Amino acid sequence: NLKRSIEHSALDFPIFNGDESYVYLDNAATTQKPKAVLEAIMDYYSNCNANVYRAIHRWGEESTRRYEEARQTVAAFIGASSTDEIIFTSGATDSINLAATVYCQRYIEPGDEIILTEMEHHSNLVPWQIQGERTGAVLKFIPVDESGELNLEVLKTLWSPRTKLLALTHMSNVLGTINPVKEIIKLAHERGVKVLIDGAQSVPHIKVDVQDLNCDFLAFSGHKMCGPTGTGVLYGKRELLDELPPFRGGGEMIRSVFLDHSEWNSLPHKFEAGTPNIAGVVGLAAAVHYLQSWGMDRIEEQEKILTKRLIRGLDSLEEYTLYGKGRHRGGIAAFTRKGTHSHDLTQYLDSKGFALRAGHHCAHPLARKLNALSTTRASVYFYNNVGQIDSLLKTLAEAEEFVL
Ligand code: PMP
């Protein structure tokens, strides 16, 4: 295993079929799935499919064992101190909606303040708008500066005695900026402010340890880290989750139910109403094991090589504008070409064998601020290679002659 080379990791992914004629660079939207994940799902349905908990039969017991083992796997992966702190959801969006709803219901009074940033994905903005409207919270925003980084000087002026919570992305899905979340969390905690980290773009790519960061909540999606769609995680500190009311009502989340009221189950079940996505969660655990088989350090190192090459290359192409010049960044690059609509450019790239994404990337306010309502975005994962980046750059350079 030590001899496995990460440069050849694409061979683990059936969709690539050992063929490099189509290059997938839309990893910020979703990632491809290795055979190990597909096999774990197939094996689950083939050998022990049954509903979890309270089953007095062997398939139900095995199904519960795999589901709860997945919780241990995920807890260890992000350094959580207990499996009680891991809530399975359908994705980062679902995780943030859960946290925003129950946190605001429990703690927000009219006039309280929540700080967000201008670079949030809609899923870490709209849920706070909805809950803000419901509870009377005021939203404030840390601005993004010219280099695509957060202006922390302005943050100093945003705190007030009414600030209750700060929610921000660890890595921007447009600019690739990696925010100094550990430092920001420390500043927030000095003021008694809780922090939610949107880890949708960071957890798949860099080592994230919730105890080291000391975040209060962390949300992320399974499908962006080689796992199946419809899976996600909300991490929350146990003492915080314990104080929060449930999100959805139904089976599994209750201890006892009377006609006029109910008593809630213990953590983490209080937040997992109904039959969960068992096969998906089993697939997510297989994805975590797969990432661990490379090691997050090696994944990060490989992506750094690809990112450096991509950013340098884009920077040197005169006809192109790259958005986000931050020094600390992950493998996401949004750009435009002079005189060419990003949809045309992206369609052209598809015809040349490259899968990229065009549009506002679910961050309207940031797109407006950048004065680039639509950009083309390339996003790498460890299974991409240097040759693919070079051929993308070559194709972009040649595009000057073809696209107008
Ligand atoms: N936050 C960020 C930063 C993202 O990039 C995304 C996905 N594009 C999300 C949240 C939402 O993730 P999902 O659609 O998987 O719920």
Side-chain angles (χ1 to χ4, degrees), residues 99-109 131 135 244-247:
T101 305
V102 299
Y103 184 87
C104 290
Q105 185 185 331
R106 174 77 173 78
Y107 289 112
I108 295 292
E109 305 281 339
Q131 295 311 318
T135 58
L244 294 169
F247 180 41

Side-chain angles (χ1 to χ4, degrees), residues 254-264:
I254 41 74
R255 176 160 293 135
S256 30
V257 176
F258 305 88
L259 282 180
D260 58 351
H261 77 283
S262 299
E263 288 161 9
W264 314 136

Side-chain angles (χ1 to χ4, degrees), residues 28-30 90-96 119-124 169-174 198-202 219-224 231 332 361-362 377:
T30 199
S90 68
T93 304
D94 193 31
S95 301
I96 297 169
M119 65 165 78
E120 297 313 310
H121 186 281
H122 294 157
S123 65
N124 196 30
T169 190
H170 196 169
M171 190 195 297
S172 162
N173 67 310
V174 179
D198 174 356
Q201 296 295 348
S202 61
F220 57 99
S221 291
H223 70 94
K224 292 184 200 280
T231 61
I332 294 174
H361 315 297
C362 295
R377 182 184 70 183

Side-chain angles (χ1 to χ4, degrees), residues 54 84 242 246 248-258 261-273:
R54 298 183 316 274
D84 289 354
D242 257 336
R248 299 189 180 105
E252 311 293 4
M253 52 75 71
I254 41 74
R255 176 160 293 135
S256 30
V257 176
F258 305 88
H261 77 283
S262 299
E263 288 161 9
W264 314 136
N265 202 342
S266 55
L267 290 175
H269 313 292
K270 180 170 82 172
F271 293 108
E272 291 182 6

